Amino acid sequence: MPRAVSLIRSSSLSDVAEYAYAATAPAEARLIFLAGACPLNEDGSTVAVGDYAGQAAKAVENMRTALAESGATLDDVISTRVLVASTRQTDLVTAWEVVRDAFGDHDVPSTLMGVTVLGYDDQLVEIEGVAAVLDS
């Protein structure tokens, strides 16, 4: 099945970033706007309390579920925003590495942000995203 998302890289910008700098989708693509994927179990409890990597992994898992129920996969994501409740860069990087590894070669444009607090008790990570699909 053809993909709607085209990743754009720039030879004029640093290659240090572990993601494409931009992405496009054709006009006929259906956009899927994902709420922030949180590290919550089905019962609403927060998983992996105190563990940035564990919470990032659960947030990715929950994002995959929301995408599947929308007719998409991680390969259809056009951009992400990873929110990490910390002032320490190492905590942000820990969460980012889990997200980056989950996306593999589909290195979508992404923003990694440290924030003061997130919405659920003991929550450290949240991942927002937009996806684009071509319906047949």
Side-chain angles (χ1 to χ4, degrees):
M1 176 197 296
R3 295 280 179 201
V5 177
S6 296
L7 300 178
I8 300 166
R9 292 168 176 74
S10 173
S11 60
S12 302
L13 297 171
S14 170
D15 63 358
V16 172
E18 297 177 314
Y19 47 79
Y21 278 99
T24 63
E28 65 271 17
R30 175 173 54 92
L31 296 179
I32 302 164
F33 297 90
L34 299 164
C38 299
L40 302 177
N41 285 316
E42 197 172 315
D43 67 3
S45 61
T46 303
V47 303
V49 173
D51 178 1
Y52 290 92
Q55 288 200 7
K58 182 61 174 177
V60 168
E61 178 185 325
N62 289 344
M63 176 181 262
R64 286 181 195 268
T65 299
L67 285 164
E69 292 178 3
S70 301
T73 69
L74 287 181
D75 287 337
D76 298 309
V77 173
I78 196 167
S79 68
T80 65
R81 181 178 300 127
V82 181
L83 309 172
V84 182
S86 180
T87 59
R88 295 175 3 123
Q89 186 179 30
T90 57
D91 296 335
L92 276 69
V93 171
T94 296
W96 168 249
E97 288 173 345
V98 172
V99 175
R100 178 202 60 211
D101 291 350
F103 277 85
D105 291 338
H106 187 64
D107 55 345
V108 300
S110 190
T111 298
L112 176 63
M113 297 173 58
V115 299
T116 25
V117 67
L118 291 166
Y120 294 99
D121 290 339
D122 301 313
Q123 182 184 359
L124 300 172
V125 177
E126 187 163 333
I127 308 167
E128 299 176 13
V130 177
V133 295
L134 297 171
D135 293 320
S136 42

